[in-house]
Amino acid sequence: QVCTQLCRRPCYCPWVPPRCPRGSPLVLDGCGCCKICARRLGEPCDFLHVCDQSQGLVCDYSSASAGTGATCNFEDDEEGCEVNGRVYRDGEVFQPSCKIQCQCLDGGFNCIPLCQEDVRLPTPDCPYPRRVEIPGKCCPEWICEAQDQHLLRDARAASPLLRFPCQEWGTEWSACSATCGVGFATRVSNQNRYCRLETQRRLCMVRPCPALPAAFPAVS
């Protein structure tokens, strides 16, 4: 009966199909007539405006009785997370880029870096280490810059005629690497003399570690 009331034959569809947001594919509407953008997780839906079944979404009418209308949800009521327009199931592991790997957990996601966050200090054989992006490689690598090149960059940076305005940009400091005692936090920032993105780290301490219990004296 619903199909008879909402679906008209023959189909009357726009000549140009709609442009869908990222992560929302073109699908047939509930009548099987016209191409529409599939509804994503949490978006309103009904008989005509169907959910993205490729992501395991169905139109959930459980909240419609409360007056809020039906929304797209996972068929098995599992919590998921949406990243860059794509929905991942709870527990699913994915890589938004080659530099990080994430896992969907309880509606959010946790990520770990795949590139080493090591810091290279100057040494006699490498007095001016610099981390650069290598074409064809995902993670930046350390190179040893010659002293004359380093001095030339210092001169350019110090010259007011060659300097250019640099808008400061940086991520928030990450959580401390240690749950107790001294650890370190990292961030990516361009707040340096060359206005170049680099990984920075600083010491941090969430709380002191509990003291080990004192050993009992030996009984003679």
Side-chain angles (χ1 to χ4, degrees):
Q1 293 179 352
V2 174
C3 181
T4 305
Q5 295 174 0
L6 298 179
C7 302
R8 299 192 306 171
R9 293 292 188 272
C11 296
Y12 294 97
C13 304
W15 286 99
V16 180
R19 296 184 62 181
C20 301
R22 185 176 181 181
S24 178
L26 274 173
V27 296
L28 288 175
D29 60 17
C31 295
C33 281
C34 303
K35 290 287 186 71
I36 61 171
C37 299
R39 297 298 172 92
R40 296 174 294 180
L41 181 65
E43 293 183 342
C45 58
D46 51 35
F47 175 76
L48 285 177
H49 303 89
V50 296
C51 302
D52 186 2
Q53 296 182 358
S54 65
Q55 298 290 330
L57 300 177
V58 295
C59 197
D60 184 7
Y61 290 90
S62 60
S63 59
S65 57
T68 57
T71 56
C72 292
N73 203 349
F74 288 111
E75 187 174 5
D76 52 2
D77 291 330
E78 289 185 357
E79 291 189 7
C81 53
E82 183 177 356
V83 181
N84 294 331
R86 181 174 176 182
V87 178
Y88 299 92
R89 289 182 176 274
D90 189 61
E92 186 175 355
V93 178
F94 59 97
Q95 286 187 224
S97 73
C98 62
K99 296 183 179 181
I100 58 174
Q101 177 176 291
C102 305
Q103 184 179 20
C104 181
L105 292 172
D106 299 329
F109 56 93
N110 294 332
C111 300
I112 57 173
L114 298 179
C115 298
Q116 293 185 355
E117 301 270 338
D118 58 327
V119 175
R120 183 165 183 174
L121 299 177
T123 57
D125 60 332
C126 185
Y128 303 107
R130 188 163 63 95
R131 206 170 190 178
V132 297
E133 299 285 345
I134 306 297
K137 293 187 178 182
C138 176
C139 299
E141 297 184 1
W142 287 99
I143 63 170
C144 294
E145 194 173 54
Q147 183 175 2
D148 54 350
Q149 294 179 348
H150 184 79
L151 294 176
L152 179 60
R153 285 196 301 112
D154 282 352
R156 288 179 176 176
S159 173
L161 299 178
L162 296 177
R163 296 189 67 177
F164 53 91
C166 173
Q167 183 176 2
E168 291 187 356
W169 183 91
T171 61
E172 297 292 333
W173 287 101
S174 68
C176 195
S177 61
T179 56
C180 72
V182 178
F184 62 87
T186 60
R187 71 172 181 177
V188 176
S189 173
N190 68 346
Q191 297 177 29
N192 51 64
R193 64 186 305 177
Y194 305 116
C195 190
R196 184 178 62 233
L197 288 177
E198 64 178 7
T199 301
Q200 301 173 345
R201 69 172 53 184
R202 67 180 181 183
L203 296 178
C204 58
M205 184 172 67
V206 178
R207 59 183 176 85
C209 290
L212 296 175
F216 291 100
V219 179
S220 56

